[in-house]
Amino acid sequence: MRFHAAAHHYSWHSPCFPKPMRKRSINFNVVPKTGIVNVLKSRRRYAVEFQNMDSDLNPCPEFLRQAFASEQQCLIANLRSSTRITHAGDRGEVNEQHFIDFLRKYLPNRYTVDKAIVIDSRGNVSDSIDVVVFDRQYTPTLLDNDKHRYVPAEAVYAVFECKPKIDKGYLEYAAAKAISVRRLKRTSVDIHHAGGKHPAKRPGHIVTGILAIDVGWKEGLGASFREAHQKLPQAGFLDCGFAASGAVFDVFAGRRKYTFGPPDNALAYFAFRLLWKLQSLATVPAVDWMAYADQLSHKSKR
């Protein structure tokens, strides 16, 4: 409808009629002044209410810090009270399920988190890995059973070892596990789509790290830690680490460029930094399933 404004009245006519409708007008001079006052008061009241609501939505960093600090305290309590377990060939294990549950909670559903063994198209396998972050949307797991889950090497984003503490010995142990994964063959093929195909993606960096309850050095992640960490071989160099007692580090920016997080919020800091790193890796490459099929064919001919 089209409105015609006047000093103290308004009128309208509908385009649905060939002739304008009879004009109607309202003289606001006859409206009681108390009514106008009430309307104005009402508008002021709602304005104040909306302003208060807006103030309630203001960010509160202290709330976030306290909430995530509570999460960290719950995790360390569960870890300290959990029964220690021993895997064949492993030493000093802690219950990795608590770390798995934590990562499942913080990482998007595109990432699957579980204990697994990594396998490649040549039939090579890694050591048993405490925590594997891998793609399940485009890459199925293989030979799953109650005790073991086999993940194709192409699907792996990150691997972690769970230990009682971060110290020189456990850093070297976690590095050896990382090498057993990074040495595996990863295939990649073109990705076909309705408009053509994307060229094969080069396999990206596999993030490796250590998850623990405490730090073994009295000085924490200081000079002794850096010395031990820098001596790790390139193939097994650990990208990050977290201790539930309140320590976190990563070298996502470069081998010698350390980033350390706040002790009270080490858990959340580690999770968000890891998520940022995983995002930078994008999607894993498409698997060359023919390479896996050929391996089975070759063995059958022997």
Side-chain angles (χ1 to χ4, degrees), residues 226-270:
R226 294 194 187 200
E227 181 181 0
H229 185 237
Q230 286 297 322
K231 288 182 179 180
L232 297 178
Q234 182 63 37
F237 193 71
L238 302 180
D239 300 295
C240 56
F242 162 73
S245 59
V248 58
F249 77 92
D250 70 60
V251 286
F252 295 149
R255 180 168 179 132
R256 296 184 180 278
K257 297 180 180 179
Y258 287 90
T259 298
F260 299 96
D264 292 341
N265 283 123
L267 178 71
Y269 191 85
F270 169 77

Side-chain angles (χ1 to χ4, degrees):
M1 293 184 180
R2 296 192 294 274
F3 292 88
H4 301 279
H8 297 295
H9 71 275
Y10 65 90
S11 64
W12 68 88
H13 67 81
S14 170
C16 298
F17 293 89
K19 294 182 180 181
M21 295 174 60
R22 188 179 62 172
K23 293 184 178 181
R24 299 177 182 178
S25 61
I26 297 177
N27 191 342
F28 285 99
N29 290 328
V30 302
V31 177
K33 294 183 179 180
T34 55
I36 297 177
V37 173
N38 289 336
V39 171
L40 294 177
K41 286 183 177 179
S42 177
R43 293 178 62 183
R44 283 198 297 268
R45 185 181 77 246
Y46 286 128
V48 172
E49 289 178 356
F50 281 121
Q51 184 177 358
N52 291 339
M53 290 174 61
D54 197 37
S55 64
D56 293 339
L57 296 176
N58 287 337
C60 182
E62 189 59 31
F63 167 76
L64 293 177
R65 283 192 290 266
Q66 292 177 357
F68 286 121
S70 297
E71 285 266 316
Q72 183 172 321
Q73 291 302 316
C74 289
L75 176 62
I76 192 171
N78 290 333
L79 288 169
R80 292 192 187 283
S81 62
S82 63
T83 303
R84 302 212 169 206
I85 59 176
T86 303
H87 301 304
D90 290 344
R91 58 194 176 100
E93 284 298 321
V94 296
N95 193 340
E96 68 269 5
Q97 190 60 44
H98 292 302
F99 287 113
I100 291 174
D101 292 342
F102 149 67
L103 288 173
R104 284 175 178 171
K105 181 190 299 185
Y106 279 86
L107 296 182
N109 290 335
R110 66 174 292 186
Y111 304 107
T112 301
V113 185
D114 212 341
K115 181 179 179 66
I117 295 172
V118 185
I119 187 171
D120 70 10
S121 60
R122 298 173 178 173
N124 300 313
V125 296
S126 71
D127 296 337
S128 177
I129 306 299
D130 289 337
V131 181
V132 182
V133 180
F134 61 96
D135 170 78
R136 188 68 188 274
Q137 183 174 0
Y138 301 106
T139 316
T141 53
L142 308 173
L143 304 173
D144 286 357
N145 57 48
D146 294 337
K147 294 184 179 180
H148 298 288
R149 181 175 230 180
Y150 290 88
V151 177
E154 294 87 346
V156 176
Y157 287 105
V159 295
F160 299 94
E161 278 302 298
C162 303
K163 295 300 170 190
K165 59 184 177 180
I166 299 176
D167 65 8
K168 183 177 183 297
Y170 285 129
L171 284 175
E172 294 172 350
Y173 185 80
K177 291 295 190 82
I179 292 174
S180 77
V181 174
R182 284 176 171 163
R183 67 179 176 82
L184 298 177
K185 170 69 175 179
R186 288 185 288 167
T187 64
S188 181
V189 294
D190 295 341
I191 301 175
H192 294 267
H193 56 88
K197 65 180 179 180
H198 295 298
K201 178 182 178 181
R202 181 178 180 181
H205 176 73
I206 295 178
V207 177
T208 60
I210 183 170
L211 307 174
I213 302 176
D214 296 306
V215 176
W217 294 280
K218 291 183 178 180
E219 62 183 8
L221 300 178
S224 298
F225 156 73
R226 294 194 187 200
E227 181 181 0
H229 185 237
Q230 286 297 322
K231 288 182 179 180
L232 297 178
Q234 182 63 37
F237 193 71
L238 302 180
D239 300 295
C240 56
F242 162 73
S245 59
V248 58
F249 77 92
D250 70 60
V251 286
F252 295 149
R255 180 168 179 132
R256 296 184 180 278
K257 297 180 180 179
Y258 287 90
T259 298
F260 299 96
D264 292 341
N265 283 123
L267 178 71
Y269 191 85
F270 169 77
F272 294 143
R273 294 278 298 180
L274 174 62
L275 182 55
W276 170 81
K277 182 61 178 178
L278 293 177
Q279 285 179 331
S280 71
L281 299 177
T283 304
V284 293
V287 181
D288 182 2
W289 292 115
M290 290 302 296
Y292 283 82
D294 290 343
Q295 181 64 22
L296 296 175
S297 176
H298 293 159
K299 286 190 176 182
S300 65
K301 294 178 181 179
R302 293 176 182 175

